[in-house]
Amino acid sequence: MKYCSKCVIPETAETHEFGQDNVCSVCTQIEKKNIINWNKRGENLDELISKYKNKYDYDCIVPFSGGKDSTFALWYLVEKKKLNPLVLRFDHNFLRKNVLLNTEKTLNKLGVDFINFKPNFSIVKKMMIESLIRRGDFCWHCHVGVSAFPINSAIQRKIPLLFYGEPSAEYSSFYRYDDIEELDVEKFNKVGNLGINAEDMLEMLNERYPNDKITKKDIEPYIFPSQREINKNKIKAVYLGNYLPWDVKKQVEIIKSELNWEGDKVEGIPPEYDYEKIECMMQGVRDYIKYLKRGFGRTAHLTSIDIRNKRMSRDKAVELSNMYDGKKPKALKLFLKITNMDEDEFYKIIKQHVVSPHELPSREELDRNSSNIKPQDLDSWIEKFS
């Protein structure tokens, strides 16, 4: 399998292309990030804000998970740009205790209004199974919900400006730093929904669960508005990272200092990255599936970011990736309990989604290669679903 000669991402990564000297497209576009006129981009941000500030019930909507990126975005917009946002969270049903505590500290410190929407778990569970079978990714409900819920709320509440956090150019090549990304129907279909819209999902669920009589009302939180509706309501959903240079490590230092935001242990990730993907109890399983399908995991992703920011050597990144990626997470037990699957069925489904030239390791190797990291609240989650 071919790997980027600068970072440690392989050819199986979605959207990555390999150019001259075997350098991946993300490494190439990050180099261009350094020549962007960020002062001009900052002026563009101020011009954008001036069009909306003090003209609506809230200046903007900030979609918020409680993780590092949305927390920094919220802090920056409130403290540095003096905006009055409405903060919205699509609660995917697997929020960990620590992120809930971080959320309380952040909201109290910044003094903002907050709405948390938690969808019907019985429907979520069916969606998890369906999207795993069809796409090898059980997170369809989260991918779609975090996009559809804030946009629909913006339309309903007549708050046209939304700020997401990091731009996708930081880690993929769907878009590059030359682009000013906006969340619209094109981006949603390209990046967000795994090629399945809510109406498709409704049909699939009724085919698999004909006796459950799932209705359109059940999938309303996942229906992304049409482009006509977005244009009619003059919705503008932008990414803060297109207007200031995104630097995760520096931003984590800020939110830890200013908001007392705390990191956490996540399976498949070295402890020095205690800020990464701490929101979801299922993150270790999600990263494990990525490794099974594509041959690299979250540590390869994180160390590659550090390589591009000249904070780590490639040799060190290889060492850490080999040490942490691909370990069977302890949270897999929880996932199997929730979905009522056994491991044989799980691996059989994943095998259908493996991206060549990567090959799924043998079952013996998978069983041998288990994580020794245990999320601190895992036992209570397993008990909850027993």
Side-chain angles (χ1 to χ4, degrees):
M1 192 157 63
K2 182 168 67 175
Y3 290 81
C4 175
S5 59
K6 285 195 172 181
C7 71
V8 294
I9 300 298
E11 61 185 308
T12 52
E14 191 176 21
T15 80
H16 286 51
E17 299 173 353
F18 287 79
Q20 190 175 8
D21 299 324
N22 211 32
V23 176
C24 79
S25 51
V26 175
C27 283
T28 300
Q29 67 203 31
I30 292 297
E31 289 177 358
K32 293 182 179 178
K33 172 182 174 180
N34 298 325
I35 62 174
I36 288 175
N37 185 340
W38 289 107
N39 289 331
K40 179 62 177 175
R41 290 279 184 98
E43 292 172 4
N44 293 341
L45 175 61
D46 290 338
E47 291 170 5
L48 174 66
I49 287 173
S50 69
K51 295 177 182 178
Y52 297 89
K53 189 173 183 179
N54 299 323
K55 294 180 175 64
Y56 304 91
D57 290 342
Y58 296 89
D59 296 327
C60 63
I61 284 175
V62 178
F64 179 84
S65 68
K68 65 187 189 309
D69 297 305
S70 60
T71 299
F72 172 77
L74 180 60
W75 173 84
Y76 184 86
L77 293 168
V78 172
E79 293 295 319
K80 298 299 182 182
K81 297 303 175 182
K82 307 304 178 186
L83 294 184
N84 175 32
L86 176 61
V87 183
L88 301 179
R89 176 159 64 196
F90 179 86
D91 180 342
H92 46 56
N93 276 268
F94 297 108
L95 293 174
R96 297 175 63 172
K97 181 179 179 180
N98 189 57
V99 82
L100 296 176
L101 295 173
N102 281 337
T103 296
E104 286 300 311
K105 288 185 285 189
T106 298
L107 298 176
N108 291 340
K109 175 78 172 182
L110 297 179
V112 291
D113 290 346
F114 175 63
I115 295 174
N116 188 79
F117 174 75
K118 188 173 185 176
N120 182 336
F121 184 70
S122 65
I123 301 296
V124 165
K125 183 169 72 171
K126 293 179 174 65
M127 290 175 168
M128 289 169 64
I129 295 169
E130 192 67 33
S131 63
L132 181 72
I133 292 170
R134 292 187 179 265
R135 293 293 187 267
D137 184 342
F138 64 86
C139 299
W140 181 90
H141 77 283
C142 186
H143 301 320
V144 174
V146 299
S147 298
F149 173 61
I151 293 278
N152 285 318
S153 297
I155 292 172
Q156 293 162 7
R157 295 173 177 274
K158 302 187 186 308
I159 309 168
L161 180 63
L162 299 92
F163 276 105
Y164 285 85
E166 81 280 17
S168 66
E170 274 290 297
Y171 49 81
S172 74
S173 291
F174 282 116
Y175 296 88
R176 299 171 189 270
Y177 261 106
D178 293 339
D179 304 313
I180 300 296
E181 293 179 47
E182 292 189 28
L183 180 56
D184 55 15
V185 170
E186 178 185 358
K187 180 170 183 181
F188 176 71
N189 289 331
K190 184 187 292 186
V191 179
N193 68 0
L194 303 178
I196 301 172
N197 64 33
E199 292 80 5
D200 295 332
M201 181 58 75
L202 176 61
E203 186 175 334
M204 293 170 183
L205 293 181
N206 279 320
E207 181 180 339
R208 193 171 301 277
Y209 307 98
N211 297 324
D212 289 358
K213 298 179 181 178
I214 300 167
T215 68
K216 186 174 181 179
K217 184 177 184 304
D218 294 315
I219 56 99
E220 274 184 359
Y222 310 95
I223 298 175
F224 198 81
S226 68
Q227 192 60 50
R228 182 176 182 275
E229 193 171 3
I230 289 172
N231 294 342
K232 176 184 175 183
N233 289 276
K234 299 180 180 179
I235 298 299
K236 193 170 187 65
V238 300
Y239 294 80
L240 186 60
N242 280 139
Y243 297 97
L244 68 156
W246 209 252
D247 189 326
V248 167
K249 276 187 160 51
K250 289 183 179 178
Q251 291 163 192
V252 167
E253 289 176 4
I254 290 171
I255 60 175
K256 284 184 174 181
S257 171
E258 296 291 327
L259 302 172
N260 195 25
W261 189 93
E262 296 182 24
D264 209 341
K265 292 191 298 185
V266 178
E267 295 169 286
I269 299 176
E272 56 264 42
Y273 295 103
D274 70 339
Y275 52 79
E276 177 71 13
K277 294 296 181 183
I278 68 166
E279 303 95 308
C280 183
M281 179 52 64
M282 290 296 184
Q283 188 61 45
V285 182
R286 174 167 166 73
D287 291 335
Y288 182 55
I289 290 174
K290 181 177 183 177
Y291 177 85
L292 297 178
K293 289 165 51 178
R294 299 182 181 273
F296 73 104
R298 180 66 52 178
T299 297
H301 165 81
L302 293 169
T303 55
S304 291
I305 292 173
D306 277 348
I307 290 171
R308 294 171 194 138
N309 286 308
K310 305 188 188 319
R311 291 182 171 131
M312 182 177 290
S313 70
R314 191 177 188 279
D315 287 345
K316 182 62 175 179
V318 170
E319 177 188 340
L320 288 174
S321 298
N322 290 338
M323 189 180 303
Y324 287 92
D325 279 345
K327 301 291 189 295
K328 184 195 295 187
K330 295 186 184 302
L332 181 60
K333 180 180 178 181
L334 173 62
F335 177 81
L336 296 176
K337 185 176 289 290
I338 290 172
T339 57
N340 198 28
M341 290 184 188
D342 59 33
E343 283 196 52
D344 288 338
E345 184 179 4
F346 171 77
Y347 287 120
K348 184 178 179 181
I349 291 170
I350 299 304
K351 188 173 182 179
Q352 298 171 2
H353 299 280
V354 173
V355 179
S356 178
H358 174 63
E359 295 181 357
L360 187 70
S362 69
R363 180 63 184 276
E364 292 76 15
E365 186 178 350
L366 293 170
D367 288 341
R368 260 194 330 265
N369 200 15
S370 295
S371 173
N372 60 4
I373 297 174
K374 183 178 180 180
Q376 61 180 2
D377 39 357
L378 177 60
D379 288 340
S380 62
W381 277 86
I382 291 175
E383 184 178 348
K384 176 180 174 183
F385 289 101
S386 295

